[in-house]
Amino acid sequence: MNAPGAALARRPAGDPGTRGPDRPGTGTVAAQVSLGLLCAGYTTGASLGWGSPELALFMGDFGLSAAALTAAVSCFLYARARRGSARPAWLLFAFSSLMAALGNAVWGWYEFVLRVEVPDFSVANLFFLLFAPPAVVGLLVLAKRPANRAGWLCLALDTWLIGGSLLTLSWSLALARTTHVEGESVARAALSLAYPLLDIVLVSMVLVLHFRRSQTNRSATNTAIAALALTVLCDALFTSPLLRENYASGQLLDAGWFAGSLLLAYAPWGARRLPAGADAADGPELPGRPVAGSLAALTPYLAAAVCTLGILYNVVEGRRVDRVVVLTGCTVVLALVVRQGIMLLDNIALTHELAHKENHFRSLVQGSSDVIMIAAPNGTLHYVSPAASGVYGRDAEELVGTELAALIHPDDLGAVVHEVRRFLAAPPAEEPTTRIECRFRSGHGGASRPGEAGGGEGWLHVESTVNRHHGGLIFNSRDVTERVRLQAQLQHNAEHDPLTDLPNRALFTRRVRQALGGRRSSDPGAAVLFIDLDGFKAVNDRLGHQAGDDLLIQAARRLQDSVRAGDTAARLGGDEFAALILGDGGHDPSARRGQVQEIADRLRLTLSRPYRLDGGQEVRVAASIGVAFAEPGIEAGDLLRNADLAMYRAKAGGKNRVELYVPQMQDEVVRRTELAARLRTALHDGEFALLHQPVVDLATGRVAAVSAQARWRSAQGILFTPAEYLRVTDDSERTAELGRWLLEEAVEQAAERAGIGHRTPVAIRLSARRLLDRSLPLGSIESLLTRHGLPSGSLIVELADNDPRIPLDELERRLVALRRLGVRIALDGFGSGHVAVDALRRLPADMLKLDRVLVEGVVESARLRKITRGVLRIARDLGMRTVADGVDVPEQVVALRAMGCSHAQGMAFSGPLDEYRLRRALVRDEYPLPGAIPVPVGNRPPMRPHDETPVPPT
């Protein structure tokens, strides 16, 4: 037996197919025991004569009355407490029992109280006659009502078949003799016949309705039918002449009536009720069709047999057949013929309907695109629908008789067996179906996914809805291979970068987490590399996004080819990549670090090779790589953060290098974060101070201007330069606020110095983007100069960081407007950055400020001296003054002066000064020049606006 067959055959003990009826509760058991004890006690007393004639009379009359009254009260209370279609039936049973109680009470009044014989015609007879009709109607209410006229007619015929046959037999045996003996009085004969005839009707209804009882509260209905059947049986015995002549109250026959009344009282309360939904478990029935149980089908023939026995009895006894027997027998035969005719027509209609439905369902199954398979308890396929040839590529006849396990992929078989066992163990009412998805053997050829065997057979992803079927299973299967492939593609797209097809940040983080969770405690573990392409932004801006995408694709391919098979290369976004280098199980941390650093250096060299883009253009970018090693107990997020910090340290250290993470990097991040938080309130707390560095004329040594510089002295007494405190904040609003403060303080202090006779211009460094910012309109600078009364030409704006993306037309208009206000313009940072030829040609600048990059190596490098000399010559030809920044040693002063540089600032003369020291320096107004030749002050013109200097046409 295969695995699914074993799962089907091993039905657990709780399976509905082998489960017995529910056990009654403790209260039900106690009621049954009490009922049994009462009936046994009454039977015992009746058998022993109750010990005295008086007690026998009392128990035979009033005992039966009390039992019937108990049944009446019980049925009435139940009907009052319950709502539903059965409520009228229990009210009718209550009325029927009440009539029996009153009849016995009147009978006892005559016998026990009045000590007289009960009259032939009394109120007791009326009550007893009223017992049967309500009970018959109550049984009709409890029965399942026919849905059409044919059903009602069959019910009436079945009732008459039973009643007529019983009447024939009873008339032949006893009732004919009774009418003959008492034929002198019609009333007496009618009363004598009324009891047995009503009992016959009641018995007929009991028998007929036993096969037509409703599913609702079926156990209570069965108990009520049993109680009434017991009562009718006792009535039948009482009506026999032999027993009636010798009957006396309190005898054993009363025990039957007593038990029938108590059983009816017990029926609605103590019987077990079906749980919700149990009706459906019995199976559907055709609406409007008679119930065709085996015993119900034999009822008409049994009735005819009983009727025949009644006639044969008369023949055997040698009697003349009574007209009542003949008439009743004829009507029974006629009812049987009509009944069989209806059944024949009904069977013909059923046959046509079943054939129609069978054809309908067969066409549905054969025309369905789903494959329907029926598996036996041993796992063998007994039926496969024709759709298998289109779905599985195999004929249905070929699959019939095949074991189900042979068609399921071995990797999925265990999960399928587990689900089948779980499904069979669940109650059908709670879980009627289940769903199973697995790979199914196909005859189409090929493979369902890469890595699986192809050739003559392949595997399809199949989703099956499973139902129970005669101990086996029905599989309604459909091919979902395309859906699975689409889901896999969507999953791949969600976890991979759409441009490079490398894992994205989410998938990379998950793999890092898996690598950390799977490490052995003795394994040095994995390493994470964060990679940033230096210079990619320039390529993107210069050549366009298409070229940038091409470069990223090539870089991703190089990265993927450089890592090992088990490692992971990923793109995190933009020009940032990452690599996960898994641990190799070694125990030497230093060897492991050397190995990973070697991989990182190889990656850096690989990524730094020239890239040939579409169109044949060749570009170069470098790679800054940060490396972080997994430590015991580290989380994936912390490891990624460490690698990121190391990468930024590599970029800050000069780019195109590999940097290993050390804990001090995290400390630096914390320090910078704290510094940025304090910077937000430093300006309002007055922690910023304004310093000025003299700009010295290299011909005279006099102070030609002062350069304003902001310094931040924190609450801890630490002094930060602009490069230090602006690096820790990305808050452009905070930077703009500092720029406004610097401009206002510099203008205000320059105006104060001019008021006491020091008319030295002040230079303020502003970026081109800052000049075009709406937060610094031209009117604000004009109002600032006007408010403080600063003389014309006393403010110099050093234009810094000339971004090539800034529109020169707008910048030119802004600078021209500033020069009209008497503001002089200097091009700052020449020699680094992007001070383009267009800026020199178009921008109205008065001065050119050499960057530290040109100044620092001007003494040692002959090549740099030539470059600097050429720059100074260009400035001189354009009529621009030149200022060298960062002149820190006397040799630089001598060299720059020899090349024709006119002004300089730096530590060779003075560092940044506070206001007090600055004023002292202005009073002195002269710095010694190394190797200087005295030049008269009047021989060299002072710094003057551009409009006063002749400039050759461009």
Side-chain angles (χ1 to χ4, degrees), residues 411-499:
D411 295 342
D412 300 339
L413 185 58
V416 172
V417 172
H418 174 76
E419 176 61 20
V420 168
R421 287 178 176 172
R422 187 204 61 79
F423 172 64
L424 292 177
E430 296 179 4
E431 190 173 4
T433 64
T434 187
R435 194 176 298 272
I436 294 176
E437 186 169 333
C438 64
R439 284 167 291 179
F440 204 84
R441 190 181 301 278
S442 170
H444 288 302
S448 63
R449 62 184 183 186
E452 293 182 355
E457 291 186 339
W459 298 98
L460 295 176
H461 289 271
V462 174
E463 182 185 67
S464 301
T465 302
V466 186
N467 299 80
R468 298 173 178 86
H469 176 71
H470 298 303
L473 295 174
I474 298 179
F475 292 84
N476 190 351
S477 306
R478 62 204 61 87
D479 181 13
V480 293
T481 304
E482 290 302 321
R483 189 198 71 187
V484 171
R485 287 176 179 171
L486 178 60
Q487 289 177 343
Q489 184 62 42
L490 293 176
Q491 183 71 18
H492 180 85
N493 294 342
E495 295 179 341
H496 289 75
D497 175 57
L499 179 64

Side-chain angles (χ1 to χ4, degrees), residues 455-789:
E457 291 186 339
W459 298 98
L460 295 176
H461 289 271
V462 174
E463 182 185 67
S464 301
T465 302
V466 186
N467 299 80
R468 298 173 178 86
H469 176 71
H470 298 303
L473 295 174
I474 298 179
F475 292 84
N476 190 351
S477 306
R478 62 204 61 87
D479 181 13
V480 293
T481 304
E482 290 302 321
R483 189 198 71 187
V484 171
R485 287 176 179 171
L486 178 60
Q487 289 177 343
Q489 184 62 42
L490 293 176
Q491 183 71 18
H492 180 85
N493 294 342
E495 295 179 341
H496 289 75
D497 175 57
L499 179 64
T500 63
D501 203 39
L502 290 179
N504 58 16
R505 183 182 294 272
L507 179 57
F508 183 76
T509 303
R510 185 163 70 251
R511 290 188 179 178
V512 171
R513 190 177 296 112
Q514 292 172 354
L516 296 180
R519 291 187 297 113
R520 299 188 300 271
S521 59
S522 59
D523 189 351
V528 172
L529 281 60
F530 264 42
I531 306 163
D532 186 84
L533 299 182
D534 304 321
F536 170 76
K537 186 174 183 299
V539 174
N540 219 17
D541 294 338
R542 181 164 53 90
L543 302 179
H545 291 284
Q546 185 64 37
D549 291 346
D550 188 16
L551 190 150
L552 290 176
I553 293 173
Q554 294 186 39
R557 190 179 301 117
R558 293 183 186 182
L559 177 61
Q560 184 68 50
D561 295 340
S562 300
V563 298
R564 301 172 304 178
D567 299 334
T568 300
R571 183 190 178 204
L572 304 183
D575 60 341
E576 289 188 356
F577 294 85
L580 170 64
I581 310 299
L582 297 178
D584 56 0
H587 299 276
D588 188 356
S590 59
R592 176 63 175 162
R593 285 178 176 272
Q595 180 186 10
V596 173
Q597 189 162 7
E598 181 182 353
I599 295 175
D601 285 329
R602 187 170 66 249
L603 279 176
R604 181 183 62 81
L605 295 175
T606 301
L607 295 174
S608 300
R609 294 201 310 266
Y611 294 85
R612 184 168 296 278
L613 307 180
D614 290 341
Q617 193 164 10
E618 187 177 279
V619 297
R620 286 179 177 269
V621 294
S624 297
I625 302 178
V627 182
F629 293 92
E631 302 294 339
I634 193 172
E635 298 291 337
D638 296 334
L639 182 59
L640 297 177
R641 180 204 60 200
N642 294 345
D644 196 23
L645 292 176
M647 184 266 290
Y648 278 105
R649 172 60 66 89
K651 293 180 72 67
K655 302 180 180 180
N656 194 21
R657 55 186 295 171
V658 176
E659 194 77 32
L660 302 183
Y661 171 79
V662 292
Q664 290 79 4
M665 294 181 183
Q666 179 62 25
D667 298 337
E668 181 181 352
V669 170
V670 174
R671 185 185 69 83
R672 291 177 59 183
T673 303
E674 295 175 352
L675 192 63
R678 294 201 303 268
L679 181 62
R680 294 187 180 96
T681 59
L683 186 61
H684 300 287
D685 295 342
E687 296 182 7
F688 275 88
L690 187 64
L691 302 182
H692 296 84
Q693 188 173 28
V695 178
V696 180
D697 191 330
L698 294 183
T700 63
R702 299 185 62 182
V703 179
V706 292
S707 177
Q709 302 175 10
R711 292 292 187 272
W712 175 29
R713 187 178 299 277
S714 67
Q716 290 76 20
I718 303 175
L719 192 66
F720 298 99
T721 64
E724 292 174 328
Y725 63 71
L726 291 180
R727 189 171 61 245
V728 303
T729 178
D730 296 328
D731 191 349
S732 58
E733 182 179 355
R734 192 69 55 200
T735 304
E737 187 178 0
L738 288 173
R740 287 193 297 269
W741 176 86
L742 174 63
L743 181 61
E744 292 177 0
E745 285 292 316
V747 170
E748 182 180 359
Q749 293 186 17
E752 292 178 359
R753 288 192 298 271
I756 60 176
H758 301 298
R759 297 181 177 270
T760 307
V762 59
I764 301 173
R765 192 171 186 268
L766 293 176
S767 66
R769 190 175 299 278
R770 178 82 179 100
L771 276 175
L772 298 179
D773 193 356
R774 294 182 179 179
S775 63
L776 187 66
L778 182 64
S780 63
I781 298 178
E782 182 180 4
S783 63
L784 183 65
L785 297 175
T786 304
R787 183 169 70 250
H788 293 288

Side-chain angles (χ1 to χ4, degrees), residues 191-416:
L191 183 61
S192 300
L193 292 175
Y195 287 110
L197 290 178
L198 287 176
D199 287 338
I200 288 173
V201 174
L202 188 56
V203 169
S204 301
M205 294 305 302
V206 168
L207 291 176
V208 172
L209 298 179
H210 175 71
F211 305 111
R212 293 179 174 270
R213 61 189 183 278
S214 174
Q215 299 291 344
T216 306
N217 206 353
R218 183 168 52 184
S219 182
T221 304
N222 289 339
T223 307
I225 290 175
L228 293 175
L230 182 59
T231 304
V232 170
L233 177 61
C234 294
D235 287 345
L237 294 175
F238 176 75
T239 55
S240 65
L242 182 62
L243 285 179
R244 189 169 183 178
E245 293 176 358
N246 301 320
Y247 170 77
S249 296
Q251 291 182 352
L252 191 60
L253 185 61
D254 291 346
W257 282 316
F258 183 83
S261 297
L262 291 186
L263 192 61
L264 184 60
Y266 167 79
W269 302 99
R272 178 177 58 83
R273 288 160 183 78
L274 291 175
D279 295 349
D282 294 338
E285 296 177 356
L286 296 174
R289 303 296 180 186
V291 180
S294 58
L295 191 57
L298 293 176
T299 301
Y301 304 101
L302 293 176
V306 171
C307 183
T308 304
L309 287 176
I311 298 175
L312 290 176
Y313 177 80
N314 285 293
V315 174
V316 171
E317 290 292 327
R319 301 176 186 173
R320 185 175 58 88
V321 179
D322 195 283
R323 286 176 297 177
V324 175
V325 174
V326 174
L327 181 61
T328 305
C330 292
T331 55
V332 168
V333 172
L334 179 61
L336 179 60
V337 172
V338 175
R339 179 71 170 81
Q340 291 303 106
I342 294 175
M343 289 295 296
L344 178 61
L345 295 176
D346 191 66
N347 288 335
I348 293 174
L350 276 174
T351 302
H352 286 292
E353 184 176 352
L354 289 176
H356 174 72
K357 289 188 175 181
E358 182 180 357
N359 293 331
H360 175 70
F361 284 110
R362 180 180 290 108
S363 62
L364 287 178
V365 171
Q366 294 180 350
S368 174
S369 59
D370 292 351
V371 180
I372 299 175
M373 301 181 297
I374 300 178
N378 62 356
T380 304
L381 293 177
H382 279 188
Y383 173 79
V384 180
S385 66
S389 59
V391 176
Y392 298 146
R394 306 174 68 175
D395 293 336
E397 293 78 5
E398 178 186 351
L399 293 176
V400 173
T402 306
E403 292 184 353
L404 191 59
L407 302 174
I408 299 175
H409 196 284
D411 295 342
D412 300 339
L413 185 58
V416 172

Side-chain angles (χ1 to χ4, degrees), residues 157-178:
L157 291 174
D158 290 343
T159 305
W160 172 245
L161 283 171
I162 297 175
S165 60
L166 292 178
L167 177 61
T168 302
L169 184 62
S170 301
W171 192 275
S172 300
L173 294 177
L175 296 182
R177 189 182 308 170
T178 302

